[in-house]
Amino acid sequence: MAAADQIPVTVLTGFLGSGKTTVLNHLLRQKELNGVVAIINEFGEVALDHLLVESSEDRLALLDNGCICCSVREDLIETLADLAARRSAGTIPPFHRVLVETTGLADPVPVLHTLMTAPDIIGRYRIDGVVATVDAVNGAHTLAAHDEAVRQIAVADRLLVTKTDLTADHVLARLDARLAAINPVAARRRVRNGVVDPAKVLDAGMFDPAGRSADVVRWFDLASQTANEPHHHEDHDCDGDACDHHGHHAHDTDVSSYSLIIDEPIQRDAFARWLDYVAALRGEDLLRFKAIVHVVEQPDTPIVVHGVQHVFHPPITLAGWPSADRRSRLVFIVRGIPRQIIENTLCKFAAVSPAAIQRSAA
């Protein structure tokens, strides 16, 4: 197929808590993105992000319980192939673009390699560009500690620096210099609350790894080699908590994801006290926290809470529950924080009864 007949795919990446879903939410509300399908990849036991995206169900596809760069790459291929077939058959509303939001721990290189080489989708889709969000508050520390974050920056066509209103100018200047050193060709833009002009994000042009740095070319070569290697369970383990491709790339071995579902409403002030305690106790290791919470004071309007390390954004009150399930759902991506510590502190500081806590979806 000619490029004009192929469906453009924009990959939205960025480390944990850098604001990808906020940006996606804003973009999907813009008229320029009418007729766009979003594919959301979640890392953890309980899928939550798709509930926070304000869009109709026929514009969303969910890849859950795994990292898109590892265990669900085949699911991505299958989803894209299915969307294209249903589009051709007229069984779904027509769409003219796909947005793929990766999980925050994803190495984007295998994702892009899949989009460029998978036989079932090659020719039907083309990579339009890669957009990476960068957390201005934690960006420097994240880049120093996590190879995935560096790779997300290195392959991007557009860099969106978020949370700039929470960051001093001199910190932003240092981060900007670091980003320029990693990827001098990517356009950089500061955004607040996810607000960005779609024209500054979309239509970045065909993605060509050969035009990137030597490291990016090497990563793509490595992805190609890995894709052609036999799959052996003893060599490649991806269970939702950690991933490793024969040592080629791995999420931090101490990084884990777990989720809690709470059957009973929670006192708002007690929940706030618990958040303060967790931030003070283990904030450095709380890579990402997100929750929909059923608070006693407002049973019909849940609150949404986002946190990254020591920083928790003010709770957002939704107009109503996104589904019939009114239980609180808490998702954690942490480094070395046992689940039992979270459960014990919830019981002690948020007055949650142990019997009300479930470890996975019913």
Side-chain angles (χ1 to χ4, degrees):
M1 296 176 63
D5 298 322
Q6 295 171 335
I7 303 168
V9 178
T10 299
V11 177
L12 178 60
T13 189
F15 202 70
L16 302 168
S18 61
K20 295 183 300 300
T21 301
T22 303
V23 169
L24 179 62
N25 238 333
H26 170 76
L27 289 174
L28 291 178
R29 291 197 295 264
Q30 309 310 304
K31 65 180 186 300
E32 294 91 337
L33 274 84
N34 290 340
V36 168
V37 171
I39 298 176
I40 300 175
N41 177 216
E42 297 224 32
F43 179 79
E45 298 165 351
V46 178
L48 182 60
D49 281 352
H50 68 293
L51 297 177
L52 306 180
V53 175
E54 301 167 8
S55 185
S56 58
E57 290 185 4
D58 59 9
R59 292 182 65 193
L60 296 177
L62 177 67
L63 307 178
D64 60 355
N65 199 29
C67 176
I68 199 172
C69 69
C70 303
S71 62
V72 297
R73 288 172 68 182
E74 292 302 318
D75 291 347
L76 174 62
I77 296 170
E78 182 179 342
T79 297
L80 287 170
D82 180 63
L83 285 171
R86 292 166 65 193
R87 176 180 182 258
S88 297
T91 58
I92 59 173
F95 63 93
H96 59 83
R97 180 184 298 275
V98 174
L99 280 172
V100 178
E101 180 196 0
T102 74
T103 179
L105 290 172
D107 178 348
V109 173
V111 181
L112 298 173
H113 183 268
T114 296
L115 292 170
M116 294 164 58
T117 62
D120 290 344
I121 59 175
I122 192 171
R124 299 184 184 185
Y125 296 91
R126 62 178 175 85
I127 296 176
D128 174 67
V130 181
V131 180
T133 52
V134 185
D135 179 348
V137 176
N138 299 298
H141 173 77
T142 298
L143 290 170
H146 300 281
D147 289 341
E148 292 90 348
V150 176
R151 298 186 184 200
Q152 291 163 359
I153 301 303
V155 302
D157 299 282
R158 308 278 192 263
L159 297 177
L160 304 180
V161 183
T162 64
K163 307 178 187 177
T164 55
D165 53 323
L166 303 176
T167 313
D169 288 343
H170 69 279
V171 175
L172 283 171
R174 285 200 300 269
L175 177 61
D176 193 61
R178 178 76 173 112
L179 298 177
I182 296 171
N183 187 341
V185 300
R188 298 186 297 279
R189 182 168 297 275
R190 297 179 182 183
V191 300
R192 291 189 179 186
N193 301 318
V195 177
V196 61
D197 182 352
K200 305 297 183 182
V201 175
L202 306 177
D203 298 319
M206 295 290 287
F207 184 87
D208 180 9
R212 305 294 169 176
S213 69
D215 277 344
V216 175
V217 175
R218 177 174 56 82
W219 294 334
F220 268 85
D221 288 343
L222 185 58
S224 179
Q225 295 167 18
T226 303
N228 293 325
E229 290 175 358
H231 180 82
H232 300 293
H233 289 289
E234 65 269 21
D235 291 329
H236 173 192
D237 178 57
C238 188
D239 61 3
D241 286 346
C243 307
D244 180 61
H245 291 284
H246 311 289
H248 294 330
H249 88 273
H251 305 321
D252 289 4
T253 56
D254 206 24
V255 172
S256 61
S257 170
Y258 47 83
S259 306
L260 301 177
I261 297 176
I262 303 174
D263 289 333
E264 62 187 24
I266 306 172
Q267 294 284 344
R268 184 168 183 145
D269 288 345
F271 186 78
R273 285 196 301 271
W274 171 74
L275 286 179
D276 289 341
Y277 178 81
V278 171
L281 179 69
R282 298 294 298 270
E284 186 71 15
D285 296 319
L286 185 62
L287 300 181
R288 186 73 170 93
F289 171 80
K290 50 190 175 183
I292 292 180
V293 185
H294 185 164
V295 293
V296 172
E297 295 83 353
Q298 49 189 78
D300 296 324
T301 53
I303 62 171
V304 174
V305 182
H306 293 273
V308 180
Q309 296 183 322
H310 297 281
V311 179
F312 288 92
H313 289 271
I316 300 170
T317 300
L318 300 183
W321 285 90
S323 71
D325 188 348
R326 294 195 170 196
R327 297 174 300 175
S328 297
R329 279 156 283 176
L330 284 61
V331 178
F332 303 83
I333 299 178
V334 301
R335 181 173 49 233
I337 304 179
R339 185 198 303 254
Q340 195 60 50
I341 288 180
I342 297 296
E343 293 185 14
N344 291 345
T345 58
L346 264 172
C347 296
K348 182 175 181 178
F349 293 93
V352 174
S353 64
I357 299 176
Q358 298 184 32
R359 293 192 167 201
S360 61

